[in-house]
Structures are given as C-alpha cells and as structure tokens.
C-alpha cells in the first residue's frame, strides 16, 4: 500500500510555470513507476507523463511534450511535474499515480494501482 499526496497546483497566467510535487508514503517508493494524469470538467482522465522506478526512462503526452517534464527523487519519495509555457487548455485537476509495473511508463489509468487526491491547476488567458 502507498499513499500519494499532490501539491503545487494553483492559478497561473498563460505562459507561466508551475511545479507539481507528489510525495509517497508507505511501501518503498522505488518499487513503483510513477505517472501524472489530468482531468478537465466533462472530460476523461488523460495521460500526461510517466517515469520508471529509477528515473532513467520517461514518456510524455504529445500535447505537453517540450513544455512539461517529469522527474523523481527516490530518497525524497517524491515525483515532480515541471510545467512551463502553460496554456488555458492545461486547466485540469492533476493526479499522480503509482504502478507496480516499475520498469515501464504506462499511459493508461488502469495500469496504475494507487492514486492521489489531485491538485487543481487553472491557467488564465
């Protein structure tokens, strides 16, 4: 079992930056691949980025590639999502998730075993 708590969301103007953090507690953090998803009102949950247990491999959605970067710090039990050049269409609740498939970077929600409660990101135009 692992518990995930996101932070770092907020209101930002278009073109601005935010860094989301997700702190894990419970089982060994390095036992999991980690991912970020987002969900806007009336839309399905959407893959954003994922990273393997070691941080050596990542994957990023085309919609955010070149603007968002996922990273992790295993000694700190934390995964980050650095978001630059934010756009109004990035507005959503952002969730971090943990997958026991630690050597992969899953892009579908069903591949993840644990979820955080989410943090709101709002980008104004």
């Amino acid at each position: 079992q692992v518990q995930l708590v996101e932070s770092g969301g907020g209101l930002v103007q278009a073109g601005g930056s935010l860094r989301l953090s997700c702190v894990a507690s419970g089982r060994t953090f390095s036992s999991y691949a980690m991912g970020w998803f987002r969900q806007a009102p009336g839309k399905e949950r959407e893959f954003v980025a994922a990273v393997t247990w070691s941080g050596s491999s990542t994957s990023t959605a085309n919609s955010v590639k070149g603007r968002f970067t996922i990273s992790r710090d295993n000694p700190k039990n934390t995964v980050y999502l650095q978001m630059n050049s934010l756009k109004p269409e990035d507005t959503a609740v952002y969730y971090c998730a943990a997958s026991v498939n630690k050597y992969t970077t899953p892009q579908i929600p069903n591949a993840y075993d644990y979820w955080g409660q989410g943090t709101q990101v709002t980008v104004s135009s």
Side-chain angles (χ1 to χ4, degrees):
Q1 189 91 12
V2 64
Q3 292 78 43
L4 304 172
V5 179
E6 303 98 334
S7 63
L11 174 64
V12 63
Q13 288 188 332
S17 298
L18 283 174
R19 187 176 80 157
L20 305 183
S21 300
C22 173
V23 178
S25 60
R27 288 190 60 186
T28 306
F29 183 60
S30 59
S31 297
Y32 301 95
M34 299 298 296
W36 286 96
F37 288 76
R38 66 187 183 186
Q39 188 165 19
K43 294 189 177 181
E44 293 187 351
R45 194 163 294 192
E46 174 190 26
F47 170 74
V48 176
V51 60
T52 54
W53 73 276
S54 65
S56 62
S57 181
T58 64
S59 63
T60 308
N62 288 335
S63 59
V64 304
K65 195 162 291 185
R67 301 188 297 122
F68 291 12
T69 303
I70 188 171
S71 62
R72 65 189 295 161
D73 186 337
N74 284 349
K76 293 185 177 180
N77 291 349
T78 303
V79 61
Y80 303 99
L81 184 68
Q82 178 66 45
M83 305 187 295
N84 299 328
S85 301
L86 282 160
K87 304 176 181 180
E89 51 263 44
D90 295 319
T91 296
V93 177
Y94 283 71
Y95 299 90
C96 75
S99 171
V100 297
N101 300 308
K102 60 187 271 186
Y103 298 106
T104 64
T105 53
Q107 299 187 16
I108 59 172
N110 285 349
Y112 289 83
D113 304 279
Y114 303 101
W115 291 84
Q117 82 291 347
T119 185
Q120 177 70 47
V121 171
T122 303
V123 184
S124 63
S125 56

